[in-house]
Amino acid sequence: MSFASLGLSQNIVNAVIEKGYDTPSPIQAQAIPAIIEGKDVMAAAQTGTGKTAGFVLPMLHRLEHGAKPKSNHVKALVLTPTRELAAQVAENVLQYSKNLNCKHAVVFGGVSINPQMLALRKGVDILVATPGRLLDLYSQNAVKFEQLEVLVLDEADRMLDMGFIHDIKRIIKLLPKERQNLLFSATFSDDIRQLAKGMVNNPVEISVAPANKTADAVEQWVYPVDKSKKSNLLTQIIKQQDMQQVLVFSRTKHGANRLAKQLTARGLMSAAIHGNKSQGARTKALADFKSSKIRVLVATDIAARGLDISQLPNVINYDLPHVAEDYVHRIGRTGRAGATGLAISLVTQEEYKLLKDIERVIRQVIERKIIPGFEPQEVVPESKLDSRPIKPKKAKKPRSPQSRSQAPRANG
């Protein structure tokens, strides 16, 4: 099967080939024809399955020969939960539209709103946005939706987890009722289906991976360790295995900063990326990581969501996530597009319950390794798989309009 066989225009197919892709991924093969036919789509797909191109390519195909947008109007809207994911989607739009006369813009919080207002003034075919900043622009009459034809909700599950449900519903009410709706999510939880009821019409449902299944291409290990020796063990692992590119997850922003400084002081060039960093600092850190100027990128979960780092070989969980499903998203950064990857978790005795929750979600006990000199004094008990059914978690309570406008937004 080729991209041309999916019904895409030759201009778009040429751009795909220039990027080095010749065969569609499973989600692309299923989603692209359905979207080209104008159907609403609900797709369950993990990070790394090619889902972004799965909606960007047919969206460009639809807009290629359509009427041009008027001033401040948009033809297609892509909503994402974080700035990093918004920037990544916009980069895909730029690359795949290189042979088209297609204007796009990306808007998110944390940077000046004025350049974004200027970008919208001439009208754009595709707008990629975080919900909060989009509503800010709408309130200033900088964006209009009368010409809107397509709405994409990307990583809808994370939108709900982050409390964006109120913003999403407000945005949907502003849009024309006659439009194509595309909803992409890691899973189809009850909350996602409830949201979909008010959004999609008779959708084509696509699922390319079982819920919360970790990639088979990712080798997973747990290293039991005392909390006081975690930092030294991390250094030892990176140096011993000669890791040249490793994404390390920290639970907190402060912890990410501290760890990046420690690693750099030990000869491992590192940078931290999290919500308190300016957009410029985050963009530079990611660029330096991709170009191998730094070996270690220390990230929090929200900052890492949507990062597209091709062929990333190593992910290390310095801290285990409090939400077990986030483990799947974290290690989904490696072992992508047919490549193999390594995921290591440093686990203390007090994190044992978190480890049990993760193993229950991924339905496997992760093998353990002990490095001589780092044997834990506080023993991490041996795991036994808990096979009881998992109750669906409730989405975070949405923020009120008042609190949304008063509180600073880390991601919108």
Side-chain angles (χ1 to χ4, degrees):
M1 181 183 288
S2 66
F3 280 96
S5 70
L6 300 180
L8 295 166
S9 77
Q10 195 59 50
N11 282 331
I12 295 171
V13 171
N14 290 343
V16 173
I17 292 170
E18 285 176 47
K19 268 203 83 175
Y21 301 122
D22 50 20
T23 305
S25 69
I27 190 164
Q28 292 163 358
Q30 294 179 65
I32 289 173
I35 296 171
I36 286 176
E37 288 174 23
K39 295 176 180 174
D40 282 10
V41 169
M42 282 181 66
Q46 299 288 354
T47 295
T49 56
K51 68 177 173 64
T52 304
F55 64 77
V56 167
L57 296 176
M59 190 164 58
L60 288 169
H61 178 88
R62 171 171 181 154
L63 299 174
E64 185 174 1
H65 300 297
K68 287 299 154 191
K70 300 173 188 173
S71 175
N72 293 109
H73 284 72
V74 300
K75 300 290 292 297
L77 173 64
V78 183
L79 288 176
T80 72
T82 67
R83 315 171 198 176
E84 279 72 25
L85 185 57
Q88 185 57 48
V89 171
E91 180 64 23
N92 272 260
V93 172
L94 177 66
Q95 292 172 347
Y96 292 127
S97 65
K98 62 186 297 183
N99 302 321
L100 309 175
N101 179 22
C102 173
K103 288 187 289 185
H104 80 280
V106 57
V107 298
F108 44 69
V111 295
S112 172
I113 199 170
N114 292 332
Q116 297 176 357
M117 294 175 77
L118 283 172
L120 289 166
R121 193 165 289 172
K122 293 180 180 179
V124 295
D125 293 285
I126 298 174
L127 178 63
V128 187
T130 51
R133 177 50 61 95
L134 182 69
L135 286 169
D136 290 343
L137 286 160
Y138 182 81
S139 69
Q140 297 185 49
N141 213 29
V143 61
K144 299 176 182 178
F145 301 116
E146 286 90 338
Q147 284 186 277
L148 188 106
E149 297 176 17
V150 185
L151 169 65
V152 182
L153 217 58
D154 195 12
E155 299 205 353
D157 55 321
R158 179 53 58 127
M159 292 266 206
L160 299 192
D161 288 347
M162 291 170 65
F164 280 131
I165 183 66
H166 181 81
D167 287 354
I168 291 168
K169 287 184 174 179
R170 276 189 66 193
I171 291 165
I172 288 173
K173 284 181 181 176
L174 302 174
L175 307 180
K177 289 200 167 32
E178 290 296 318
R179 62 176 192 269
Q180 185 176 21
N181 301 288
L182 313 174
L183 187 151
F184 286 74
S185 176
T187 59
F188 289 152
S189 66
D190 291 342
D191 291 313
I192 290 292
R193 291 195 177 279
Q194 193 61 40
L195 171 64
K197 276 183 184 176
M199 178 181 159
V200 297
N201 301 305
N202 192 26
V204 173
E205 285 201 19
I206 299 168
S207 184
V208 296
N212 296 321
K213 184 181 186 301
T214 54
D216 294 332
V218 180
E219 182 183 347
Q220 301 173 65
W221 291 96
V222 160
Y223 285 70
V225 64
D226 290 334
K227 189 175 182 180
S228 61
K229 292 187 177 180
K230 250 194 187 187
S231 171
N232 288 330
L233 176 58
L234 176 65
T235 306
Q236 173 89 350
I237 290 170
I238 294 172
K239 288 185 173 179
Q240 194 176 67
Q241 301 196 26
D242 194 28
M243 295 179 176
Q244 294 302 310
Q245 193 180 48
V246 55
L247 177 61
V248 175
F249 282 95
S250 166
R251 191 178 300 133
T252 67
K253 300 167 188 174
H254 177 68
N257 287 337
R258 184 176 63 243
L259 193 54
K261 285 180 182 176
Q262 287 175 342
L263 293 172
T264 299
R266 294 168 187 168
L268 299 170
M269 289 302 295
S270 307
I273 182 169
H274 53 68
N276 281 1
K277 293 277 185 181
S278 71
Q279 188 58 35
R282 290 159 81 162
T283 302
K284 183 180 185 303
L286 182 57
D288 287 348
F289 185 60
K290 286 183 174 181
S291 65
S292 300
K293 287 183 181 177
I294 60 172
R295 284 173 70 174
V296 186
L297 189 65
V298 187
T300 54
D301 280 305
I302 287 176
R305 188 76 170 197
L307 291 183
D308 186 58
I309 306 160
S310 61
Q311 306 299 315
L312 176 65
N314 308 293
V315 169
I316 298 180
N317 294 301
Y318 186 79
D319 300 311
L320 288 183
H322 277 302
V323 178
E325 288 82 0
D326 282 343
Y327 175 84
V328 178
H329 294 300
R330 285 183 178 189
I331 75 166
R333 311 313 317 163
T334 185
R336 301 174 66 167
T340 57
L342 174 65
I344 290 171
S345 299
L346 311 185
V347 181
T348 64
Q349 185 184 74
E350 63 187 37
E351 291 177 298
Y352 174 62
K353 185 183 181 303
L354 299 176
L355 175 62
K356 277 178 60 180
D357 291 344
I358 288 166
E359 291 176 328
R360 184 180 176 193
V361 162
I362 66 173
R363 301 184 183 93
Q364 72 179 86
V365 172
I366 306 169
E367 288 190 63
R368 302 187 181 196
K369 281 186 181 179
I370 301 280
I371 288 188
F374 291 93
E375 299 87 349
Q377 300 304 303
E378 298 178 348
V379 177
V380 181
E382 288 297 319
S383 298
K384 289 183 180 178
L385 197 60
D386 183 346
S387 57
R388 291 175 299 163
I390 299 171
K391 293 180 181 178
K393 60 180 177 157
K394 292 184 178 179
K396 190 180 288 184
K397 186 178 179 182
R399 294 164 293 181
S400 67
Q402 291 81 11
S403 65
R404 190 183 69 78
S405 60
Q406 291 167 5
R409 275 188 304 274
N411 300 292

